[in-house]
Amino acid sequence: EVHLVESGGGLIQPGGSLRLSCAASGFTVSSNYMSWVRQAPGKGLEWVSVIYSGGSTYYTDSVKGRFTISRDNSKNTLYLQMNSLRAEDTAVYYCANLNGGTYYYYFDYWGQGTLVTVSS
Amino acid sequence: EIVMTQSPATLSVSPGEGATLSCRASQSVSSNLAWYQQKPGQAPRLLIYGASTRATGIPARFSGSGSGTEFTLTISSLQSEDFAVYFCLQYNYWPPWTFGQGTKVEIK
């Protein structure tokens, strides 16, 4: 059975840094496309970042240069390093597995989310 | 970037009645459209992918249709556990993956 468990969220001042973790079980993180998706309080879902099985990474424009997605194959864990945090980064951050065949990938399994609050 | 627009923002429905939710893409996304259900404090749950294929364990009262730019999620007879927010997702052009803003289905 697939499980994704996020951790690392909390209250952080503007300009600070935080690293989120997503521990996976039931599948191998390095074999899949994995993403972070966030949801600001009372708002919709926003894709943040993806790491492909081959290691390529992509980011939404608003976090480019500030966030870094990575994985530790030995721990079967996905990470999101968040630097220079802003108030508008306040959200619940979900890690999600991407499922697909040839080219088209959609989010199937999601973690329970971890709340990041950026405030002074 | 593909913009996904859902309507209505809120849908008030009595238990046992049907509900029809709409999702429109700013350009064709073929059939690469998924639907998710989200309850308060929970992660989104995949309902439909490929515009019309139910995910594992999803009841038959949920059905999806459409292709190109117009999509519909139909819930045939709402149960108490179906009152939630529903999001659509396009995965034809990525990155970025883009979601609709959501439709809240509430008890009438």
Side-chain angles (χ1 to χ4, degrees), chain B residues 15-98:
Chain B
E17 290 185 343
T20 301
L21 289 65
S22 296
C23 177
R24 173 177 292 177
S26 60
Q27 65 185 80
S28 176
V29 297
S30 186
S31 294
N32 296 307
L33 189 285
W35 289 96
Y36 297 84
Q37 177 193 68
Q38 188 179 34
K39 297 178 181 179
Q42 297 185 17
R45 177 174 73 143
L46 176 66
L47 298 176
I48 301 282
Y49 62 94
S52 61
T53 302
R54 277 189 301 278
T56 302
I58 302 303
R61 64 180 180 273
F62 291 92
S63 63
S65 64
S67 66
T69 62
E70 301 284 344
F71 300 89
T72 299
L73 175 70
T74 302
I75 311 171
S76 61
S77 176
L78 272 131
Q79 308 297 303
S80 58
E81 62 267 28
D82 300 335
F83 292 96
V85 179
Y86 293 84
F87 295 96
C88 60
L89 163 77
Q90 73 81 21
Y91 56 98
N92 195 64
Y93 298 104
W94 51 267
W97 286 261
T98 50

Side-chain angles (χ1 to χ4, degrees), chain A residues 48-82:
Chain A
V48 173
S49 181
V50 63
I51 183 166
Y52 296 165
S53 52
S56 297
T57 59
Y58 296 89
Y59 302 89
T60 192
D61 286 347
S62 62
V63 309
K64 282 179 184 174
R66 300 189 299 125
F67 289 12
T68 303
I69 190 172
S70 63
R71 66 192 180 208
D72 184 329
N73 298 343
S74 67
K75 296 181 179 179
N76 208 33
T77 297
L78 179 73
Y79 299 102
L80 185 67
Q81 177 66 45
M82 304 186 295

Side-chain angles (χ1 to χ4, degrees), chain A residues 33 35 37 39 43-47 50 52 58 94 98 103-108 110-112, chain B residues 32 34 36 38 41-46 49 87 89 91-97 99-101:
Chain A
Y33 288 15
S35 250
V37 177
Q39 187 171 35
K43 302 297 184 182
L45 298 163
E46 179 188 27
W47 170 76
V50 63
Y52 296 165
Y58 296 89
Y94 296 100
L98 281 153
Y103 178 76
Y104 302 104
Y105 289 82
Y106 55 91
F107 307 104
D108 58 356
W110 300 65
Q112 85 288 351
Chain B
N32 296 307
Y36 297 84
Q38 188 179 34
Q42 297 185 17
R45 177 174 73 143
L46 176 66
Y49 62 94
F87 295 96
L89 163 77
Y91 56 98
N92 195 64
Y93 298 104
W94 51 267
W97 286 261
F99 295 88
Q101 80 279 17

Side-chain angles (χ1 to χ4, degrees), chain A residues 5-9 19-23 36 77-80 95 114:
Chain A
V5 180
E6 300 97 334
S7 60
R19 188 179 80 157
L20 306 183
S21 300
C22 172
W36 289 95
T77 297
L78 179 73
Y79 299 102
L80 185 67
C95 66
T114 188

